[in-house]
C-alpha cells in the first residue's frame, strides 16, 4: 500500500480523516513554511531561517526517513506545500510514486506585474509582521480588528488567525524569517533540466490566478506526464471552497 504524505499548513486538513482509514497517511505540518516539517500532534519546534524549497524538500525526505518510510510515497500539497512536493519529486524522483498539487505552479511569482495575487500574499505577511510587533495587541479580537482593514475577507482573516495561539498569546509561525524569505517563497529555484516522469495531477481553482495558461509550458517542462483539471467557481483554497469535488479528485488519483 502506498503511503500518502500531505504537506500542509498548521491545521489538520478536512480530508485527512476521510481517507486515512483507507490509505497510510503522513501529515506534515510546515508551520507556514518557516519550520522544519513535523508529524501532526508533535509539539517540537525547530525554527529554520532558510526557507528555500530545496531545503524544505530535504526536510520532508528526512522526516519520512525518520518514520522509516522508505517506500515510494504520493505527495499532496496545497499552495507552497505544493511547491515543496514538486521540488522533492524533481530532486528525488526515485522516492516519489506521484504528486497532487493544489493550485500552485512551479514558477517564480516574485515582483511580476502579471502575478498580482502574490502581491496580496506579501501584503498579508507584512500586516501580520506589523501586528506581531505591536505589544499593545494582546487579545485575538484586538489582532483581528487591526488586521481587518488589510484582510477584509472574513474567511481569509479566520484562516490567518489559525496561526495565532490564543492560549500562549503568540504567533505559531516565525514571522520574522517569513518576511526575510519572501523572495525565496515566491520563487522556485531548481535547475531547468530536472524532470519527474511520474504522474503529477494539478488541481486548479477556476477563479485563482496561481495556475495560468502562461505557466503550462513550465509545468510540462518539469512534469511531462502532468494532468490539469479546473474546479470552476472556486479560488486558491480549492480544498476549502469545494471539499467534495477536491476529495473526489484526490481519491480518483490515488485509486488509479
Amino acid at each position: 500500500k502506498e503511503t500518502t504524505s500531505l504537506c500542509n499548513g498548521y491545521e489538520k486538513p478536512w480530508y485527512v480523516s476521510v481517507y486515512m482509514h483507507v490509505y497510510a497517511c503522513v501529515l506534515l505540518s510546515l508551520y507556514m513554511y518557516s519550520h522544519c516539517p513535523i508529524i501532526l500532534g508533535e509539539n517540537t519546534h525547530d525554527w529554520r531561517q532558510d526557507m528555500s524549497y530545496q531545503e524544505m524538500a530535504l526536510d520532508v525526505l528526512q522526516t519520512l526517513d525518520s518514520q522509516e518510510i522508505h517506500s515510494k510515497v504520493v505527495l499532496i500539497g496545497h499552495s507552497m506545500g505544493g511547491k515543496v512536493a514538486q521540488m522533492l519529486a524533481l530532486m528525488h524522483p526515485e522516492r516519489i510514486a506521484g504528486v497532487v498539487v493544489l493550485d500552485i505552479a512551479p514558477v517564480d511569482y516574485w515582483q511580476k506585474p502579471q502575478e498580482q495575487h502574490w502581491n496580496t500574499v506579501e501584503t498579508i505577511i507584512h500586516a501580520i509582521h506589523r501586528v506581531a510587533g505591536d505589544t499593545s495587541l494582546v487579545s485575538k479580537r484586538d489582532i483581528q480588528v487591526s488586521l481587518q482593514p488589510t484582510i477584509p475577507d472574513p474567511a481569509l482573516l479566520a484562516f490567518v488567525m489559525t496561526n495565532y495561539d490564543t492560549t500562549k498569546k503568540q504567533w505559531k509561525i516565525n514571522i520574522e524569517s517569513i518576511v526575510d524569505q519572501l523572495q525565496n517563497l515566491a520563487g522556485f529555484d531548481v535547475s531547468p533540466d530536472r524532470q519527474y516522469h511520474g504522474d503529477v495531477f494539478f488541481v486548479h481553482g477556476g477563479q485563482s490566478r496561481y495556475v495560468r495558461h502562461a505557466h503550462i509550458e513550465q509545468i510540462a517542462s518539469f512534469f511531462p506526464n502532468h494532468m490539469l483539471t479546473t474546479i470552476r467557481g472556486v479560488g486558491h483554497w480549492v480544498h476549502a471552497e469545494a471539499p467534495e469535488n477536491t476529495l473526489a479528485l484526490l481519491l480518483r488519483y490515488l485509486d488509479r
Side-chain angles (χ1 to χ4, degrees), residues 25-242:
C25 296
V26 178
L27 174 60
L28 301 179
S29 172
L30 301 176
Y31 273 79
M32 203 170 177
Y33 327 109
S34 63
H35 187 287
C36 69
I38 65 168
I39 305 299
L40 185 72
E42 294 182 358
N43 249 343
T44 56
H45 284 69
D46 179 17
W47 295 120
R48 302 293 177 88
Q49 303 306 313
D50 181 3
M51 281 176 269
S52 72
Y53 286 107
Q54 292 193 23
E55 286 295 322
M56 288 188 283
L58 292 176
D59 280 341
V60 171
L61 189 64
Q62 184 180 22
T63 303
L64 294 174
D65 288 342
S66 73
Q67 300 299 304
E68 298 185 353
I69 300 171
H70 303 299
S71 58
K72 288 187 174 183
V73 300
V74 174
L75 298 174
I76 301 174
H78 169 251
S79 194
M80 295 178 191
K83 278 194 169 183
V84 173
Q86 292 174 78
M87 182 65 75
L88 182 51
L90 292 170
M91 293 175 65
H92 288 280
E94 75 282 357
R95 297 291 300 272
I96 308 303
V99 184
V100 180
V101 181
L102 302 181
D103 206 61
I104 201 76
V107 300
D108 185 356
Y109 298 111
W110 181 250
Q111 293 184 345
K112 292 181 171 62
Q114 67 271 31
E115 310 291 1
Q116 290 297 319
H117 47 281
W118 180 257
N119 294 338
T120 301
V121 171
E122 287 188 56
T123 300
I124 292 171
I125 294 299
H126 284 294
I128 296 172
H129 186 237
R130 173 180 56 80
V131 300
D134 189 341
T135 56
S136 68
L137 301 175
V138 178
S139 71
K140 182 177 180 179
R141 175 62 182 166
D142 289 341
I143 293 171
Q144 286 177 313
V145 169
S146 182
L147 288 174
Q148 196 167 24
T150 305
I151 314 172
D153 181 350
L156 182 54
L157 180 57
F159 173 76
V160 168
M161 291 306 300
T162 63
N163 293 286
Y164 185 72
D165 189 326
T166 54
T167 301
K168 297 180 179 180
K169 298 188 182 302
Q170 64 184 30
W171 291 90
K172 302 169 185 176
I173 54 176
N174 187 359
I175 189 63
E176 293 285 346
S177 291
I178 292 173
V179 170
D180 289 342
Q181 295 288 310
L182 276 172
Q183 186 170 358
N184 271 341
L185 295 175
F188 194 72
D189 187 17
V190 65
S191 173
D193 61 352
R194 285 187 181 268
Q195 286 189 322
Y196 172 71
H197 290 275
D199 295 335
V200 180
F201 187 25
F202 288 84
V203 180
H204 167 233
Q207 295 181 347
S208 170
R209 299 289 290 168
Y210 278 94
V211 181
R212 299 186 294 110
H213 181 74
H215 300 150
I216 299 302
E217 183 178 353
Q218 182 84 325
I219 290 171
S221 175
F222 286 132
F223 307 109
N225 295 320
H226 77 277
M227 301 166 285
L228 173 64
T229 192
T230 299
I231 301 179
R232 298 186 183 279
V234 302
H236 183 52
W237 284 272
V238 290
H239 52 302
E241 297 178 50

